[in-house]
Amino acid sequence: MNEAYEKLKQQLGEVSDIQGAMSVLMWDQLVMMPPGGAGVRAERVGTLTRLAHERFVSDEVGELLDELAPLQEELPFESDEASLIRVTRRDWEKRRRVPADLAAEMARHASQADKAWVQARAASDFAAFKPWLQKTFELKRRYVDCFEPAGDPYDVLLDDYEPGLTTAIVEPVFERLKEGLGPLIGAGGDAAEAFERGPFPEARQHELSLFVLDRFGFTGEDWRLDPTVHPFCQSFATSDIRLTTRYAEDDLSSLFSAMHEFGHGVYERGVSADLERTPLAAGASMAMHESQSRLWENLVGRSLPFWRWAYPETQKAFPDVLGDVELERFHRAINRVRPSYIRVDADETTYGMHIILRFELERQLLAGSIELDDLPAAWNAKMAEYLGVDVTEDRLGVLQDIHWSGGMVGYFPSYQLGNVISVQIWEKVREGIPDLDEQLERGEFGELRSWLGEHVYRHGRKFTTGQLLDRLVGGGIDPEPYLAYLNDKLSTLSPV
Amino acid sequence: MNEAYEKLKQQLGEVSDIQGAMSVLMWDQLVMMPPGGAGVRAERVGTLTRLAHERFVSDEVGELLDELAPLQEELPFESDEASLIRVTRRDWEKRRRVPADLAAEMARHASQADKAWVQARAASDFAAFKPWLQKTFELKRRYVDCFEPAGDPYDVLLDDYEPGLTTAIVEPVFERLKEGLGPLIGAGGDAAEAFERGPFPEARQHELSLFVLDRFGFTGEDWRLDPTVHPFCQSFATSDIRLTTRYAEDDLSSLFSAMHEFGHGVYERGVSADLERTPLAAGASMAMHESQSRLWENLVGRSLPFWRWAYPETQKAFPDVLGDVELERFHRAINRVRPSYIRVDADETTYGMHIILRFELERQLLAGSIELDDLPAAWNAKMAEYLGVDVTEDRLGVLQDIHWSGGMVGYFPSYQLGNVISVQIWEKVREGIPDLDEQLERGEFGELRSWLGEHVYRHGRKFTTGQLLDRLVGGGIDPEPYLAYLNDKLSTLSPV
């Protein structure tokens, strides 16, 4: 190719290497590290963050981008080269506004606050976590100030996860969801059946997860699955994918977490190997990522065709608990609408309300229009209003999520937008694979994975969510297919 | 303190952070990484190695060291500050001679060759590993050429692990050992008893290791113990110590590996926290490190007093195998001299011969006086001569060790020097703790750990092996106490 382009790729490769090392440090910290390692680890992460930042926002990268502008014009929009130059410029212009010291301070704070959060959550002690949270939002305000937000200051944070998305776009989608989800939540809520509480021995849950993931496409060659406090997925290369999950004897949530994280992992696994060690080697956005985790968790993993295949093996794993439970009763139970405390355990219908609550509180916290002392009460009031749930302990309420300790403010909306987008994409999958249900019933997921790989995964970050969605469905984010899907599903679930 | 000193510490802290990140990457690679991650991982490690190297050998560090020379003179030799300046200068002058590209190439090669070694070892396929080994030694020769060796070229490699040590010092020590160990090996060799082959269920071995390590001072707060192919210890901070071990149903070697790696770990754990994130935050040398792993593995872990405490629990763990075996018979079995293929499984007496063999072959390989095609035959001939062992498969011979794939040429002598030094130090421990045996019999290891912490661990890299040994025993490396210890032990082992 071109000398400047090769130079740019080399420089970006180094940045990728430093960031990749940080990913390993973060994964190790959450999955493996003894608590004593936290202090020094925070220093390491701070230094690497600064190094990666400095090298990425350097004048040299800017000059190479200028030099490569004509090449970008010449080449097709979706070529690897034009995309790399275009997306790198967008990132470069954005990050250049953030001083290296602030970036390092945010990373160091995130690393330390995470440890504090783990302890505060275990002790259900919001007061112990409050100073860390205060600092998180102070840093976020300083971060927002690096930009000159035209609209809502929250737009700056949203844009980190959803390039091009604004509060003005999100708010009406969420208002429509609130309106559409409310009646469904009111209509659900029959009591849990005894079999839903297990006991499900943890070792068998692990085996069952691996049985399902193996058919999905998980292999020991490129993947790992480990237990941790809060399930997540991280990739260190397109062929080194780490999933984590958590086990509880009294529910089967680990299986759904595993399918969820698999959806994130298979996205990263499917990014074209040609994009490795470049800024394009990741998902298009957090919402697009979440659309894939939700697709595998819910549209596949809570569907009746899937369970026609998976249920016999599940009964074999837990014969005492599920031996006498018919498939349709089990399927109804895993799809029942039941308001609860914990977002990651929430059903597809109530989930949106958890997100809308966080979206509203984050905006208030950023604006300073709510005191931190009042946050648990505000959280609990919204839980009562939106879901009819009475939160009695902060570990089941405001302390449940890792995001605010990790500095990931503005991230939550992506989750619900992912749900919405997942159904928009699913409609296209059904057009592309007419016998999809029959394949799922046979435990065959290869064609589904290939379709998604071809239309979504391989592009990595070449397109924004808006661009990719427009290519796929010829339009923008639309909550109606999602609401229709929920209405349809809930009305057709077999009664007890 | 002084502005230049603070600047130096900051610069060295950054280098430590990059190196610490590399350690996490290396540990993850050996313990956790799915095979698919190897290619990109090698790039990451190569980039970080280069970054750490560039920052450490920078002119800026040199200028700060010059500026700080008067401060070093003023302060006591063993002060943190004078030691940091002195040891940093030694490292800086040495590493400055190695071009960044060569350092990165060595790291990248090590990372890839390690993967090739794992496969070649599993297949016992020396031919598959040969090209990697050839490259290892080519790189080592280029490395040696960066210096102007006055004596043996091998001195350059030795000095990386044992500052100040030369082939001329090592050779006579090893010749004396060959002479002294030969008759002991001839005298041993009674056949193994049935109970030595187990079966010892792996899960119980793991529990037993944790039972012992827990009393030694291992805590979940600062340590981890994981299974891997080749046991090792790595520390990511003085309070983040990772031990690895391996389990086999048909022997108890995992326990001795665990005690061995604990010895390495407790050394790193005991380095003064004031030295954290500086070049002093490590052991004095590899031999000094090995003296501590051997002290805990052998001088503690194969002693009769230790087993008076540990044996009842061991019998409880394996009642079918050991229930009827008396303590003295067990103790004799774990101390029996029995020539064998594998270095890490070798007894205290034959171990030295394994090292001397490697020392001799490494010198020939570096000098190019042996062809790689002839290496397995040469290995096997020496095994027959020194130990009377007939090596039939390369996985039990030349392919058994990780060192040459990892580029660690010149490292092996440290192991045997560590054995020798461990007994020199042990004589001093006995003077300092007169009732040591009684403490071991009660499973009390706190005073021993404190003594070693005070006299050895806390100093980190402040002193060379020679300086530290001189402070401790008033002399240099002396093989006689080690030979006397072995003679004494073997002559007093109770007969069958």
Side-chain angles (χ1 to χ4, degrees):
Chain A
M1 173 64 58
N2 165 310
E3 198 185 337
Y5 186 77
E6 289 309 317
K7 265 195 197 161
L8 180 70
K9 268 198 86 168
Q10 196 192 328
Q11 183 86 352
L12 295 175
E14 284 183 17
V15 172
S16 160
D17 289 337
I18 302 171
Q19 289 170 332
M22 269 195 290
S23 294
V24 179
L25 264 59
M26 300 297 277
W27 176 86
D28 178 84
Q29 180 171 332
L30 292 171
V31 183
M32 296 291 161
M33 189 180 77
V40 169
R41 181 61 56 91
E43 298 283 350
R44 311 283 201 226
V45 170
T47 293
L48 292 184
T49 302
R50 192 164 43 67
L51 285 179
H53 182 83
E54 283 170 7
R55 291 179 103 75
F56 183 73
V57 301
S58 67
D59 293 342
E60 193 191 341
V61 169
E63 285 155 18
L64 288 168
L65 289 169
D66 286 344
E67 199 177 331
L68 288 164
L71 183 71
Q72 184 193 336
E73 289 302 311
E74 274 166 37
L75 292 167
F77 183 85
E78 59 182 272
S79 67
D80 287 0
E81 294 80 6
S83 299
L84 183 67
I85 300 165
R86 179 179 69 247
V87 173
T88 302
R89 173 166 286 287
R90 188 182 77 206
D91 291 347
W92 184 85
E93 285 175 354
K94 187 156 187 196
R95 290 199 211 135
R96 200 159 155 93
R97 290 174 170 266
V98 183
D101 286 350
L102 177 59
E105 196 178 346
M106 289 193 301
R108 204 158 39 229
H109 173 69
S111 179
Q112 291 168 336
D114 177 70
K115 195 188 170 197
W117 168 74
V118 170
Q119 290 173 348
R121 180 175 180 259
S124 198
D125 182 358
F126 178 75
F129 184 58
K130 204 185 76 171
W132 298 95
L133 191 55
Q134 181 152 17
K135 181 79 184 279
T136 294
F137 277 90
E138 277 168 23
L139 288 168
K140 284 293 154 188
R141 275 180 224 116
R142 281 172 56 195
Y143 178 77
V144 168
D145 287 345
C146 300
F147 301 84
E148 288 140 21
D152 195 305
Y154 190 76
D155 287 354
V156 173
L157 304 184
L158 266 183
D159 192 80
D160 283 351
Y161 306 103
E162 301 301 327
L165 201 72
T166 61
T167 314
I169 296 172
V170 175
E171 213 170 4
V173 172
F174 281 5
E175 286 303 316
R176 171 70 187 112
L177 288 176
K178 241 159 125 174
E179 177 187 278
L181 294 175
L184 295 173
I185 294 170
D190 49 340
E193 297 201 65
F195 71 82
E196 295 178 49
R197 290 190 298 271
F200 306 104
E202 295 190 5
R204 296 224 188 114
Q205 290 191 49
H206 184 69
E207 284 160 24
L208 183 64
S209 289
L210 287 179
F211 170 79
V212 169
L213 294 190
D214 183 64
R215 291 294 277 267
F216 278 7
F218 176 106
T219 72
E221 178 68 19
D222 300 317
W223 302 69
R224 280 187 66 93
L225 174 67
D226 294 279
T228 187
V229 177
H230 188 105
F232 68 97
C233 167
Q234 204 150 23
S235 76
F236 304 153
T238 62
S239 52
D240 185 355
I241 312 289
R242 313 284 176 108
L243 311 182
T244 71
T245 187
R246 70 172 162 213
Y247 300 99
E249 290 260 313
D250 60 354
D251 66 44
L252 275 180
S253 63
S254 74
L255 177 61
F256 295 95
S257 285
M259 293 192 284
H260 178 99
E261 301 307 335
F262 172 85
H264 286 303
V266 73
Y267 194 168
E268 303 271 324
R269 181 76 192 87
V271 170
S272 165
D274 295 339
L275 306 181
E276 194 86 89
R277 295 179 70 238
T278 77
L280 302 182
S285 77
M286 292 305 125
M288 197 52 75
H289 235 301
E290 192 69 6
S291 78
Q292 295 314 298
S293 58
R294 287 309 194 173
L295 186 151
W296 288 91
E297 176 194 1
N298 289 335
L299 301 176
V300 174
R302 290 185 206 272
S303 73
L304 198 54
F306 168 80
W307 281 103
R308 290 214 172 92
W309 166 71
Y311 195 56
E313 194 70 22
T314 306
Q315 284 182 304
K316 251 195 279 173
F318 313 108
D320 299 345
V321 179
L322 297 177
D324 295 332
V325 178
E326 318 81 71
L327 170 62
E328 288 72 16
R329 215 168 121 217
F330 178 81
H331 180 248
R332 182 187 167 81
I334 61 169
N335 281 289
R336 192 184 288 114
V337 180
R338 187 179 311 126
S340 64
Y341 301 118
I342 303 294
R343 176 182 60 83
V344 295
D345 297 338
D347 58 74
E348 285 173 278
T349 309
T350 58
Y351 191 90
M353 292 302 199
H354 284 270
I355 294 307
I356 293 166
L357 172 157
R358 287 157 178 75
F359 169 69
E360 293 171 348
L361 290 178
E362 279 186 348
R363 290 181 65 198
Q364 289 182 272
L365 285 165
L366 186 70
S369 63
I370 182 173
E371 292 296 321
L372 275 180
D373 284 328
D374 301 330
L375 181 63
W379 181 288
N380 299 351
K382 281 185 191 285
M383 283 298 284
E385 182 189 344
Y386 299 163
L387 291 166
V389 164
D390 179 24
V391 178
T392 52
E393 292 182 82
D394 289 338
R395 71 183 177 88
L396 303 175
V398 68
L399 287 177
Q400 70 184 267
D401 289 308
I402 198 175
H403 300 67
W404 290 342
S405 68
M408 291 178 281
V409 179
Y411 189 134
F412 283 118
S414 301
Y415 289 120
Q416 186 56 17
L417 298 174
N419 280 328
V420 166
I421 292 167
S422 74
V423 184
Q424 292 185 269
I425 293 176
W426 192 244
E427 291 187 340
K428 290 291 155 186
V429 171
R430 285 206 175 282
E431 287 173 20
I433 311 176
D435 66 335
L436 180 64
D437 283 347
E438 290 72 19
Q439 293 188 19
L440 300 187
E441 279 184 30
R442 293 195 299 268
E444 293 170 10
F445 308 98
E447 197 176 338
L448 172 60
R449 206 172 57 237
S450 297
W451 193 98
L452 293 166
E454 174 64 21
H455 293 87
V456 181
Y457 305 161
R458 70 184 172 92
H459 300 304
R461 288 182 73 221
K462 277 187 184 177
F463 308 114
T464 64
T465 301
Q467 289 161 350
L468 191 54
L469 210 52
D470 194 51
R471 284 170 62 100
L472 282 165
V473 305
I477 299 174
D478 176 6
E480 300 307 332
Y482 178 70
L483 287 170
Y485 154 81
L486 283 181
N487 270 290
D488 184 51
K489 185 178 202 174
L490 295 177
S491 68
T492 58
L493 278 182
S494 65
V496 182
Chain B
M1 173 67 55
N2 163 311
E3 198 185 336
Y5 185 77
E6 288 308 317
K7 264 194 197 161
L8 179 69
K9 268 198 84 170
Q10 196 194 327
Q11 183 87 354
L12 295 175
E14 285 184 16
V15 173
S16 161
D17 289 337
I18 303 171
Q19 290 170 332
M22 268 195 291
S23 294
V24 178
L25 264 59
M26 300 298 276
W27 176 86
D28 178 84
Q29 180 171 332
L30 292 170
V31 183
M32 296 291 160
M33 189 180 78
V40 170
R41 182 62 55 91
E43 299 284 348
R44 310 284 201 224
V45 170
T47 293
L48 292 184
T49 302
R50 192 164 44 67
L51 285 179
H53 182 83
E54 283 170 6
R55 291 178 102 76
F56 183 73
V57 302
S58 66
D59 292 342
E60 193 192 342
V61 168
E63 285 155 19
L64 289 168
L65 288 170
D66 286 345
E67 198 177 330
L68 288 164
L71 183 71
Q72 184 193 338
E73 288 303 312
E74 274 166 38
L75 292 167
F77 183 86
E78 60 181 89
S79 67
D80 287 0
E81 294 80 6
S83 299
L84 183 67
I85 300 164
R86 180 178 68 248
V87 172
T88 301
R89 174 166 285 288
R90 187 181 79 205
D91 292 347
W92 184 84
E93 284 175 353
K94 187 155 187 195
R95 289 200 211 135
R96 202 163 154 92
R97 289 173 170 268
V98 183
D101 286 350
L102 177 58
E105 196 178 346
M106 289 193 301
R108 204 161 35 233
H109 173 69
S111 178
Q112 292 168 335
D114 177 70
K115 194 185 172 197
W117 167 73
V118 169
Q119 291 174 348
R121 180 174 180 258
S124 198
D125 183 359
F126 179 75
F129 185 57
K130 205 184 75 170
W132 298 95
L133 192 55
Q134 180 152 17
K135 181 78 184 279
T136 294
F137 277 91
E138 277 168 22
L139 289 168
K140 283 294 154 187
R141 275 179 224 115
R142 280 172 57 196
Y143 178 76
V144 169
D145 288 343
C146 300
F147 301 84
E148 288 141 19
D152 195 305
Y154 189 76
D155 287 354
V156 173
L157 305 183
L158 266 184
D159 193 79
D160 283 350
Y161 305 103
E162 300 302 326
L165 201 72
T166 63
T167 314
I169 296 172
V170 175
E171 211 169 6
V173 172
F174 280 6
E175 285 304 315
R176 171 69 187 113
L177 287 176
K178 238 160 131 173
E179 179 187 275
L181 294 175
L184 294 174
I185 294 170
D190 49 342
E193 297 200 65
F195 72 82
E196 295 178 49
R197 290 191 297 272
F200 304 103
E202 295 190 7
R204 295 224 189 114
Q205 289 191 51
H206 184 70
E207 284 161 24
L208 183 64
S209 290
L210 288 178
F211 170 78
V212 170
L213 294 189
D214 183 63
R215 291 294 277 266
F216 278 8
F218 176 106
T219 73
E221 177 68 19
D222 300 318
W223 302 69
R224 279 188 66 94
L225 174 67
D226 294 281
T228 187
V229 177
H230 187 105
F232 69 97
C233 167
Q234 204 150 24
S235 77
F236 304 152
T238 61
S239 52
D240 185 354
I241 313 289
R242 313 285 176 107
L243 311 183
T244 71
T245 188
R246 71 172 160 212
Y247 300 98
E249 288 262 315
D250 59 355
D251 66 44
L252 275 180
S253 63
S254 73
L255 177 61
F256 295 96
S257 285
M259 293 192 283
H260 179 99
E261 301 307 337
F262 173 83
H264 286 304
V266 73
Y267 194 167
E268 303 271 325
R269 181 77 191 87
V271 170
S272 165
D274 295 339
L275 307 181
E276 193 85 270
R277 295 179 70 239
T278 77
L280 302 182
S285 77
M286 292 304 125
M288 196 54 73
H289 234 301
E290 192 69 7
S291 77
Q292 295 313 297
S293 58
R294 288 308 196 172
L295 186 152
W296 287 91
E297 176 194 2
N298 289 334
L299 302 176
V300 174
R302 290 185 205 272
S303 73
L304 198 53
F306 168 80
W307 281 103
R308 288 215 173 91
W309 166 72
Y311 195 55
E313 195 69 22
T314 306
Q315 284 182 303
K316 248 194 281 174
F318 313 109
D320 300 343
V321 179
L322 297 178
D324 295 332
V325 178
E326 318 80 72
L327 170 62
E328 289 72 17
R329 214 168 122 215
F330 178 81
H331 179 248
R332 180 186 169 84
I334 60 169
N335 280 290
R336 192 183 289 113
V337 180
R338 189 182 308 128
S340 64
Y341 302 117
I342 303 294
R343 176 184 59 84
V344 295
D345 297 338
D347 57 74
E348 285 173 278
T349 309
T350 58
Y351 191 90
M353 292 303 200
H354 284 271
I355 295 306
I356 292 167
L357 173 157
R358 285 157 178 76
F359 170 68
E360 293 170 349
L361 290 177
E362 278 187 349
R363 290 181 66 196
Q364 289 182 271
L365 285 165
L366 186 70
S369 63
I370 183 172
E371 291 295 323
L372 275 181
D373 284 328
D374 300 330
L375 181 64
W379 180 288
N380 299 351
K382 281 185 190 285
M383 283 298 284
E385 182 190 346
Y386 298 163
L387 291 167
V389 164
D390 179 25
V391 178
T392 52
E393 291 183 84
D394 289 338
R395 71 183 177 88
L396 303 175
V398 69
L399 286 176
Q400 69 184 265
D401 289 307
I402 198 173
H403 300 67
W404 291 342
S405 68
M408 292 177 280
V409 179
Y411 188 134
F412 283 119
S414 301
Y415 288 120
Q416 186 56 16
L417 298 172
N419 280 327
V420 166
I421 291 168
S422 74
V423 184
Q424 292 184 269
I425 294 176
W426 192 242
E427 290 187 340
K428 289 292 158 187
V429 172
R430 285 208 176 281
E431 286 173 19
I433 311 177
D435 66 335
L436 180 65
D437 283 348
E438 289 72 17
Q439 293 188 19
L440 300 186
E441 279 184 29
R442 293 194 299 268
E444 294 170 9
F445 308 97
E447 198 177 338
L448 172 61
R449 208 172 55 237
S450 296
W451 193 98
L452 292 166
E454 173 64 21
H455 293 88
V456 181
Y457 305 159
R458 71 185 171 93
H459 301 304
R461 287 183 73 221
K462 277 187 183 178
F463 308 113
T464 64
T465 302
Q467 288 161 351
L468 192 53
L469 210 52
D470 194 50
R471 284 170 60 101
L472 281 165
V473 305
I477 298 174
D478 177 6
E480 299 309 331
Y482 178 68
L483 287 170
Y485 155 80
L486 283 181
N487 270 291
D488 184 51
K489 185 176 200 173
L490 295 178
S491 67
T492 57
L493 279 181
S494 64
V496 182

